[in-house]
Amino acid sequence: MHDILIKPALEKVKSYYIVFWVINLALIVIFETGLLPEGVYAGDARMEYILETIGILLVIAMVPLSLKLFSRVLHRKIDRIPFAEALQQYQKWSLIRVLLLLTATLYNIVVYYLTLHSIGALCLMIGLTASLFCIPGDKRIRRELQIDGEQEPADVQ
C-alpha cells in the first residue's frame, strides 16, 4: 500500500528539485548570453552594499529555515496524521522548502550579475549547496515519514 502511494509522491518531489536546478541554470545562461544586462550597479557602492546585504540576509534566513523548518514540520505535524495525508503534507512542505531556497538563489544570481561582485556568487553557492541536503530519494522519504523498508503483509483471504 505504501509503495503505491510513495512512488508518485517521490516523482513529484523529484520534479520540484529538478525544476529548482533548471531555473537557476536557465537564469545563469540568460545572463551569460547577454539577454539580461550585467554590471548595471558595478561601481555604485551604495547600491552594491544594499543588494549584497539583502542577498546575505536572504541566505542567512532561507537556508536554515528551509532545512530546519521542514524537519520540525515532519516531527510535529506530519508524524501525527494518517499516511496518505502525511504524504500530501510531505509534498507540500518539500515544495515550500525548494521555494525558500529558490528565492535565495535566484536573488543572488541577479545580485552577482548586477554588481559583478563575488558576494552574490558566494551566497548562491551556499544556497545551491544547501539544496544538496534536500535531494529526494526513496530511502529518504521512507526515513523521514518513518516507514519501514519492509513490505506490508498482504491481506489473507
Side-chain angles (χ1 to χ4, degrees):
M1 166 88 177
H2 291 261
D3 289 336
I4 294 169
L5 296 174
I6 288 176
K7 187 169 179 150
L10 181 59
E11 293 303 317
K12 196 171 194 178
V13 173
K14 281 183 181 180
S15 71
Y16 300 156
Y17 189 75
I18 291 168
V19 168
F20 167 84
W21 279 91
V22 167
I23 290 172
N24 280 296
L25 292 174
L27 186 57
I28 291 169
V29 167
I30 288 170
F31 272 110
E32 286 293 329
T33 58
L35 294 174
L36 289 176
E38 295 179 39
V40 173
Y41 295 114
D44 183 350
R46 179 180 290 171
M47 196 58 167
E48 287 176 356
Y49 176 78
I50 292 168
L51 291 173
E52 290 171 352
T53 300
I54 293 169
I56 291 167
L57 293 174
L58 265 175
V59 168
I60 288 172
M62 297 299 187
V63 169
L65 187 62
S66 66
L67 299 174
K68 191 63 180 169
L69 176 68
F70 187 78
S71 174
R72 180 162 281 166
V73 167
L74 275 177
H75 296 299
R76 290 197 175 176
K77 289 186 177 182
I78 295 179
D79 287 348
R80 300 176 183 185
I81 57 179
F83 178 72
E85 189 178 336
L87 206 51
Q88 288 177 344
Q89 289 295 314
Y90 184 87
Q91 291 174 53
K92 173 184 153 186
W93 285 99
S94 293
L95 177 60
I96 291 169
R97 174 168 48 179
V98 167
L99 290 175
L100 290 171
L101 289 173
L102 187 63
T103 301
T105 57
L106 290 181
Y107 181 83
N108 281 295
I109 290 171
V110 172
V111 167
Y112 170 71
Y113 282 103
L114 291 181
T115 64
L116 298 175
H117 279 192
S118 59
I119 292 175
L122 176 64
C123 291
L124 168 65
M125 296 308 293
I126 292 169
L128 293 176
T129 302
S131 77
L132 297 176
F133 293 99
C134 306
I135 297 174
D138 188 67
K139 289 180 183 177
R140 180 184 192 116
I141 197 169
R142 289 176 183 279
R143 183 183 70 242
E144 289 176 340
L145 291 176
Q146 299 176 358
I147 301 168
D148 294 330
E150 304 170 9
Q151 297 285 341
E152 291 184 6
D155 292 339
V156 179
Q157 296 182 4

